[in-house]
Amino acid sequence: MTRPERARPGSGALASLPSLAPLPTAAERAAAVIRENIFEGKFQPGTALPEAALSQALQISRNTVREAFRALMSEHLLTYETHKGVAVRALTVADVHDIYTLRQMFETSAIDLLDSGRAELDPAALLEPVAAGEAAGAADDWVTAGTANLRFHSNLVSVHGSTRMEEFFRRLMTEMRLGFLALEDPKTFHAPYLVQNRSIADKIIGGRYDEARTDLTAYLEQAKTEVAAAVAKQSTVDDDR
Amino acid sequence: MTRPERARPGSGALASLPSLAPLPTAAERAAAVIRENIFEGKFQPGTALPEAALSQALQISRNTVREAFRALMSEHLLTYETHKGVAVRALTVADVHDIYTLRQMFETSAIDLLDSGRAELDPAALLEPVAAGEAAGAADDWVTAGTANLRFHSNLVSVHGSTRMEEFFRRLMTEMRLGFLALEDPKTFHAPYLVQNRSIADKIIGGRYDEARTDLTAYLEQAKTEVAAAVAKQSTVDDDR
DNA sequence: TGCAACATTTTTGTTCAACAATCTTTCGTA
DNA sequence: TACGAAAGATTGTTGAACAAAAATGTTGCA
């Protein structure tokens, strides 16, 4: 006998839940804490993170702090120089342009794939993040809204079916979150995109691929301009300090 | 007064020279040695690398060995599992397909860029690796020929002008070298591609982009089949051991 | 004052020995 | 043979220590 069908969270929704299983190693837990602090804005871009300070704050040995740093470096959240230690990554305007150029390439080619019938897409993969973004926006939680937004675009790229592309795109999304930190008013930035994501999702699902491509390209161009401006402003502020 | 013009190494040629400057930290030097051993075939794919053994062999402490491992993990040369340590990466057939799909995407879109005049290319960037490959082939040095081959394709992708794409493509090239390790007869594999690279380079430089695209696609398809077969064979051999 | 050379302090790079936690292997028993 | 417990090997982590490099502070001089 089968159990009655009941509503289940859409694709990707569970991914945003905090994992219940505690991370196995101290280094990973430390990395998680540091990562959290970066995205919370506690450790601002450009901030140096001395090993001794983190060792004391997290109550772990310096060697373990270093392991955590290595992990975050490979996530491109920290920069490193020999004998100078690590610092929270600060995006440059060139970074922002590079990132959006690649997003344009990966996302529009995903639509091409759908358009030509070489790939298929579960509508829920787009609708779930859109709905999650709208819900977060309604609750005035713009960090969650931003993350849902990124999940929308990641799921679109997933139609390529390439594990390496997904991994690479995840990296780009991580860097986007660093860029979001530079925004002065996240609400003003994110709110319009909630509407646009809904529209793009509908067009893709409805098979109106040309319109979707056009809208997406405009979307990315606009977002790039805004984030680049925010990052530029941030770097001038840093210089003044 | 100007010095007389004299022959200079073409673009990228110097990159293949061993760096004279010794690496600053012991961890980096250790990583270089391990990397070397992998590509020399001394550490074969799938081989576990115990920390204690490397520590003794390289005369460095276990902590430093771990730092070297971290670096190589982020280069995707080593795999890692908690409490199980690291092992030399062994490509799967799925990996090979994924890699060639992405190569196809990046390389043909580079030609598109040239075709539409949105980017330009220094002919030397293609001709130098082609010549280097031919020279290495003539000297029966198929490791160098393989590396020159990869440089040819990297330089093609460079026309995108995206630092992240270049970095990502370098990763793919590194993984290709892991795949080359599975080849039974490198000469039989590489020799035909020396000729094809020359032909593709000529067509690109000559503006015959459609032909170049066709040839390149055929090239990649053929190479994918061969490397996938070699990797498949290698994995069955490993299973038998 | 401005600046260059030197001395001091801080921070990173690395080692070592030790122990806890987790696999792997071995081996005795049912 | 199959199972499971004990023994052994390997990884995860610590803390202290010192060398080496970078950052900082100080002095002396033009």
Side-chain angles (χ1 to χ4, degrees), chain A residues 24-25 27-28 63 66-67 70-71 74 76 80 82-83 89 91 94-96 98-99 101-102 105-106 109 160-165 167-168 171-172 175, chain B residues 24-25 27-28 63 66-67 70-71 74 76 80 82-83 89 91 94-96 98-99 101-102 105-106 109 160-165 167-168 171-172 175:
Chain A
T25 71
E28 288 177 64
N63 279 315
R66 286 173 140 260
E67 296 233 2
R70 298 271 173 201
S74 71
H76 300 91
Y80 166 80
T82 309
H83 286 297
R89 176 88 180 286
L91 289 190
D95 285 326
V96 175
D98 198 29
I99 291 166
T101 300
L102 290 167
M105 177 173 178
F106 292 138
S109 64
H160 277 103
S162 164
T163 57
R164 278 165 186 73
M165 193 189 294
E167 186 192 311
F168 185 55
R171 171 198 160 170
L172 296 182
E175 295 189 289
Chain B
T25 71
E28 289 177 63
N63 279 314
R66 286 174 141 259
E67 296 229 0
R70 292 272 177 193
S74 71
H76 300 90
Y80 166 82
T82 308
H83 288 297
R89 176 89 181 284
L91 290 189
D95 285 327
V96 175
D98 198 30
I99 291 166
T101 301
L102 290 167
M105 177 172 178
F106 292 139
S109 64
H160 277 103
S162 164
T163 57
R164 279 166 185 73
M165 192 189 294
E167 186 192 310
F168 185 55
R171 171 199 160 169
L172 297 182
E175 294 189 290

Side-chain angles (χ1 to χ4, degrees), chain B residues 90-129:
Chain B
L91 290 189
T92 66
V93 173
D95 285 327
V96 175
H97 279 86
D98 198 30
I99 291 166
Y100 275 99
T101 301
L102 290 167
R103 287 190 61 176
Q104 166 82 20
M105 177 172 178
F106 292 139
E107 300 191 36
T108 59
S109 64
I111 297 181
D112 292 344
L113 237 48
L114 294 170
D115 196 357
S116 62
R118 282 173 292 166
E120 293 198 355
L121 171 69
D122 175 13
L126 295 186
L127 295 176
E128 180 277 320

Side-chain angles (χ1 to χ4, degrees), chain A residues 187-234:
Chain A
K187 173 174 179 172
T188 304
F189 175 83
H190 285 299
Y193 298 122
L194 294 180
V195 182
Q196 295 190 48
N197 280 347
R198 168 67 72 183
S199 166
I200 292 171
D202 286 342
K203 287 174 179 170
I204 291 175
I205 294 168
R208 294 147 65 194
Y209 297 113
D210 284 335
E211 293 176 48
R213 250 186 303 263
T214 305
D215 288 4
L216 179 63
T217 302
Y219 170 119
L220 290 173
E221 195 61 37
Q222 185 190 345
K224 173 171 74 176
T225 305
E226 291 188 49
V227 175
V231 165
K233 194 164 194 172
Q234 174 186 260

Side-chain angles (χ1 to χ4, degrees), chain A residues 4-225:
Chain A
E5 280 285 323
R6 65 172 82 175
R8 264 174 278 173
S11 111
L14 293 174
S16 61
L17 254 54
S19 69
L20 294 177
L23 295 165
T25 71
E28 288 177 64
R29 287 191 298 275
V33 171
I34 297 169
R35 194 186 297 113
E36 192 72 13
N37 274 275
I38 292 173
F39 288 133
E40 299 287 313
K42 300 272 186 66
F43 296 161
Q44 293 189 347
T47 309
L49 300 180
E51 297 175 1
L54 274 285
S55 170
Q56 193 169 353
L58 299 173
Q59 288 293 301
I60 56 179
S61 82
R62 256 184 70 214
N63 279 315
T64 306
V65 171
R66 286 173 140 260
E67 296 233 2
F69 282 173
R70 298 271 173 201
L72 296 167
M73 282 160 48
S74 71
E75 291 177 32
H76 300 91
L77 287 177
L78 300 180
T79 59
Y80 166 80
E81 276 179 286
T82 309
H83 286 297
K84 289 181 139 192
V86 305
V88 179
R89 176 88 180 286
L91 289 190
T92 66
V93 174
D95 285 326
V96 175
H97 279 85
D98 198 29
I99 291 166
Y100 274 98
T101 300
L102 290 167
R103 287 190 62 176
Q104 165 81 19
M105 177 173 178
F106 292 138
E107 300 192 36
T108 59
S109 64
I111 297 181
D112 292 344
L113 236 49
L114 295 170
D115 196 359
S116 61
R118 282 173 291 166
E120 293 198 355
L121 172 68
D122 174 13
L126 295 187
L127 294 176
E128 180 277 320
V130 164
E134 288 168 344
D140 218 55
D141 178 355
W142 298 102
V143 172
T144 303
T147 306
N149 177 13
L150 298 179
R151 195 163 67 246
F152 170 76
H153 293 274
S154 289
N155 288 355
L156 176 57
V157 169
S158 294
V159 310
H160 277 103
S162 164
T163 57
R164 278 165 186 73
M165 193 189 294
E166 280 181 42
E167 186 192 311
F168 185 55
F169 199 79
R170 253 198 308 280
R171 171 198 160 170
L172 296 182
M173 296 298 95
T174 302
E175 295 189 289
M176 289 299 313
R177 293 185 70 185
L178 280 177
F180 289 169
L181 291 174
L183 295 172
E184 293 195 346
D185 184 0
K187 173 174 179 172
T188 304
F189 175 83
H190 285 299
Y193 298 122
L194 294 180
V195 182
Q196 295 190 48
N197 280 347
R198 168 67 72 183
S199 166
I200 292 171
D202 286 342
K203 287 174 179 170
I204 291 175
I205 294 168
R208 294 147 65 194
Y209 297 113
D210 284 335
E211 293 176 48
R213 250 186 303 263
T214 305
D215 288 4
L216 179 63
T217 302
Y219 170 119
L220 290 173
E221 195 61 37
Q222 185 190 345
K224 173 171 74 176
T225 305

